[in-house]
Structures are given as structure tokens and as C-alpha cells.
Amino acid sequence: MSSDPEETQDYNEESITETTTTFNLDNLPSSFQKFLKDNAIDPQIYTVVDLPRYIRLNTHSNNLPTLNDLKTQLNTTHVWQVKKSGLFGFLNAKQRLVDIEAYKTHKVFGIDLSSAMAVDALELESNDQVLDLCCAPGAKLCMIANLLGNDGDGTVTGVDIANHRLATCRSMVKKYSVGNRVRLFDADGTTFCIPPPSRVGGRMIVKEDNKKDDDHCDHKNDESLQQEQPVTKKRRKTNKNEQKPFWASKLLRFDTQDSPHLYDKVLVDAECTHDGSISHILKYEKWGWDAFEKNFMNPDRLSTICELQRNLMKQGWKMLKEKGTMVYSTCSLTIQQNESNVEWFLNHYPDAQLEPVDSLDISRAKLKNTDPSLSHCVRFDPL
């Protein structure tokens, strides 16, 4: 959901480049320096040199490039494959990613490694109904669609509050031809309550009874919303809660949104302060810090961001079936937006159980004095 509609710096695959920085910490605005100090974040993290880029194979495509192909096309020997995920990292490329054949023919797409790991943690299967509650800018949607494939009944529903960012999602899934099982909604993720599709084209999705006792829509029991519409041979029964998708594939476009089931997997990659988006932070030295302070250091935004994140977690949990999996992630380095939110959630939802995450053999950042009950929380940084 919860991208700030006023935010002007959007994700653009072509604008994110491999970074070698001589970043001057003295140039950080005072509000951001105070934020880092208040949250015990070492600003040295922004002085990282040789920040790698990552790409993923678009497995909806054929004749995918090999590791050696990518080395040749990027004109660098510094290309490596990440364990089991279809991801490749690279450094010191003498050829721009946007100029290589694999990119121009849509056989690879750019995605941040930590975003890909959040998707990997869902452990997707081909029949899963997936809710991506904060889906913009769309790289995670593409990866989810890749992992679901086209052989089962799996679908992904993407939600975001800003339609200009949903337009970016739509462009991405169409560009990479992965939108066959995708639908997008312009909606507030803290209240979104549309169930997963009941059909893929003309085929009914058959699921086990995965309903929860609590209503996933707060207004669901309103008697005025329970009256059935007249049914004729020329008009299907309509659902009073029905919301027209921002975009949906032909297979999902005419779903009646009245499935009794909930989602198998929910991803809450929540809106945050973005202080952990290192490559973007570095670019503000060129873009100007005024935009950064407006977008991310607004005092009102900082005071309400954790409440927003918790409301997203609450609604994601409501939309998740019993024994389903929800992944919560942010691109912030703060404890408040990560471990503290998880601790709050576990205290308020005793039926939730924290599960271990496969870290793909990547070294994890360590926190001191962390509650043992949060040991399965995984955090990474470029260092």
C-alpha cells in the first residue's frame, strides 16, 4: 500500500546503477543526522564502496542467459549467482545493464537482493493465492509471478495507495510478460479486504476451507451490504463490496470478488523511512537533500510510520488463511520499524509463530541485546 502520494522519486530500473561512492557524511542534512543518532544507526554504512547490483532471470521467458553469458554481456568477470534463487549479482560492469541483450529482450530484470529474499521467504507454490500488500514499484510482483508460473492456479494480487506507482507496476508486469495471473488494486492496504480470485479464467479455484473466524472487512456484517442484487440471465450477481481493479489480466478481470477463502501467502513489504535504501540515499547528494527531507524526514510522517506499519501487518494477518505465511519486511535499519514491530505483533497475535528464514548463505547483520524470541528476524546491510 502505503507509498506517500507526494513522493516524487520513483523506482526506475534504468536509473539504478552500480555505485562506487566517495560520499561525504558532512553533507547529510541535520534532520537525517539526528534521525540516525536517535536510532543508533552508524552513518558509516553510507560510505560503502562498490555497491553491487542484482538481477533476476525472467523465468517466463525462454533461452535464458547463463552465468558466462552475463559476464560476456556485462563485460566483467565479477558476476556471481545467488544460491537457488535465479539471482545474479555483478560489479565493475563495463557495459550498462540497460544496454545488454538479456535486458533489452526482457530475459532479466533488476531487483534488490533483500527484496528478492523477502519474496523467497514466502516459499511459494504453484497454487498459492498471494497478496502483495505494498506492491509498488513492481519488481517483487514480477518475481512472485515467475515463481507461481502458469501451470497451477496461483495468482498474485498487488495493492498500492498511489495509482502513479501502480502504473509503474502495470508497466513492469506487461514489459516482462508475467501478468497472466496478476491483478492490481488502487487501495489503502490497511483496509483492503478483497478476497483472492475464485477463478482463473473459466476454471474454478478449489481450495481447502481456509476461512478465519474474524471478518476481514470491518463493515462485512452491515445488513445493508448483505442484500443480494437481482440476477438475470444477462447480468451476473454483483458484490456490494466489489472494487474495480486498477488493472487485471484477462484471466482475472471478471472475478466476482465473493470467494469465501483467504490468501495462502501475504507479503507486507511496508512503507518506511527508507534509510536502508542505500543506493537511493546516495543519489540524493546529486538530486538534492531538500527532496529527501520532504519525502522521508517529515516530522508528522516519522511520528506515525510505525502505526501505519502495524496497521498493515494487522490487515495482512486478517487476509491470511489459517496456517498461512506472512512476511514482514522494510528497507529501514531502525529497530522500531523492524524488531519492535515484530515483537508488538507477536504480543497481540498469540496464534502467530515466528519461523526461520533461509538467508541464502548471506552473512546477516547482528544486533546486540536482541530478545531471543526474535532470533528468526533477519537483517542485512551492504557491509
Side-chain angles (χ1 to χ4, degrees):
M1 171 208 96
S2 45
S3 158
D4 184 353
E6 298 299 319
E7 184 177 329
T8 57
Q9 301 295 347
D10 284 328
Y11 173 92
N12 182 337
E13 284 186 298
E14 299 183 14
S15 72
I16 302 177
T17 58
E18 177 190 325
T19 302
T20 300
T21 179
T22 54
F23 192 73
N24 187 349
L25 293 175
D26 294 335
N27 291 340
L28 291 174
S30 57
S31 61
F32 189 44
Q33 291 191 40
K34 181 179 184 301
F35 173 84
L36 296 177
K37 183 177 180 180
D38 290 346
N39 289 281
I41 298 172
D42 185 353
Q44 290 297 320
I45 194 170
Y46 302 109
T47 65
V48 61
V49 176
D50 292 334
L51 190 65
R53 286 205 61 184
Y54 290 88
I55 53 178
R56 189 180 192 279
L57 298 178
N58 177 14
T59 50
H60 275 53
S61 184
N62 297 318
N63 301 317
L64 296 174
T66 64
L67 177 63
N68 286 333
D69 291 334
L70 292 172
K71 288 180 178 180
T72 300
Q73 293 183 35
L74 290 164
N75 195 8
T76 177
T77 58
H78 299 288
V79 184
W80 61 95
Q81 186 167 7
V82 181
K83 172 186 170 186
K84 81 171 185 177
S85 59
L87 289 161
F88 293 85
F90 63 92
L91 275 171
N92 304 325
K94 297 180 180 64
Q95 187 71 271
R96 294 193 313 162
L97 174 62
V98 296
D99 293 330
I100 71 171
E101 183 68 16
Y103 182 86
K104 291 192 289 186
T105 55
H106 308 153
K107 297 185 185 301
V108 299
F109 56 88
I111 185 169
D112 182 73
L113 177 59
S114 54
S115 295
M117 294 179 70
V119 174
D120 186 78
L122 290 168
E123 299 183 338
L124 295 175
E125 299 179 356
S126 61
N127 290 321
D128 280 341
Q129 304 303 309
V130 184
L131 175 61
D132 185 354
L133 205 52
C134 314
C135 68
K140 298 187 302 296
L141 274 174
C142 291
M143 182 172 173
I144 291 170
N146 270 179
L147 292 173
L148 291 176
N150 288 317
D151 294 334
D153 290 330
T155 71
V156 55
T157 298
V159 180
D160 201 278
I161 201 169
N163 57 16
H164 72 284
R165 285 168 62 83
L166 276 177
T168 303
C169 293
R170 177 182 59 195
S171 296
M172 283 198 69
V173 298
K174 294 175 74 172
K175 173 181 178 180
Y176 292 105
S177 301
V178 298
N180 205 32
R181 307 296 181 89
V182 176
R183 58 181 188 167
L184 304 173
F185 286 93
D186 176 4
D188 184 342
T190 65
T191 58
F192 181 78
C193 59
I194 294 172
S198 56
R199 295 175 178 272
V200 175
R203 187 170 70 251
M204 182 74 73
I205 298 175
V206 179
K207 306 289 288 184
E208 297 177 1
D209 187 1
N210 61 11
K211 295 178 288 184
K212 285 188 176 181
D213 293 334
D214 54 339
D215 294 327
H216 49 269
C217 285
D218 291 337
H219 54 268
K220 188 174 179 182
N221 291 324
D222 187 333
E223 291 184 358
S224 67
L225 299 182
Q226 299 301 307
Q227 299 175 7
E228 293 186 354
Q229 293 292 312
V231 179
T232 69
K233 291 183 179 179
K234 293 185 178 181
R235 181 181 179 185
R236 66 176 172 82
K237 183 169 69 174
T238 59
N239 176 3
K240 283 274 189 173
N241 298 329
E242 189 171 336
Q243 176 182 341
K244 183 179 179 181
F246 178 86
W247 180 85
S249 70
K250 290 182 180 179
L251 291 177
L252 304 178
R253 193 167 296 164
F254 304 106
D255 181 65
T256 54
Q257 299 180 11
D258 56 1
S259 170
H261 302 298
L262 296 172
Y263 293 89
D264 301 289
K265 308 287 173 64
V266 174
L267 176 60
V268 183
D269 188 24
E271 171 68 0
C272 65
T273 50
H274 299 284
D275 53 275
S277 296
I278 307 298
S279 61
H280 289 274
I281 294 290
L282 300 179
K283 291 183 184 300
Y284 277 100
E285 193 156 45
K286 296 180 181 178
W287 290 338
W289 291 107
D290 289 345
F292 175 80
E293 290 195 278
K294 176 186 175 183
N295 290 336
F296 303 123
M297 291 292 106
N298 181 291
D300 292 336
R301 187 173 185 274
L302 291 177
S303 66
T304 59
I305 192 71
C306 286
E307 179 183 5
L308 170 61
Q309 292 160 344
R310 292 176 181 187
N311 287 337
L312 287 166
M313 296 171 80
K314 286 164 60 177
Q315 191 61 24
W317 192 253
K318 283 185 178 180
M319 300 304 296
L320 182 69
K321 74 171 189 177
E322 295 284 358
K323 298 183 180 180
T325 297
M326 183 173 83
V327 171
Y328 173 73
S329 62
T330 77
C331 53
S332 171
L333 298 169
T334 68
I335 294 174
Q336 285 85 349
Q337 295 175 66
N338 294 293
E339 287 83 1
S340 293
N341 274 348
V342 173
E343 184 176 26
W344 170 87
F345 184 82
L346 294 174
N347 287 336
H348 284 76
Y349 293 87
D351 56 329
Q353 180 177 339
L354 206 58
E355 297 285 341
V357 172
D358 185 350
S359 58
L360 304 184
D361 295 337
I362 298 169
S363 298
R364 296 167 51 170
K366 303 295 185 182
L367 279 183
K368 296 180 180 179
N369 304 320
T370 304
D371 189 318
S373 67
L374 302 178
S375 61
H376 290 322
C377 293
V378 182
R379 63 163 56 222
F380 305 93
D381 65 49
L383 304 180

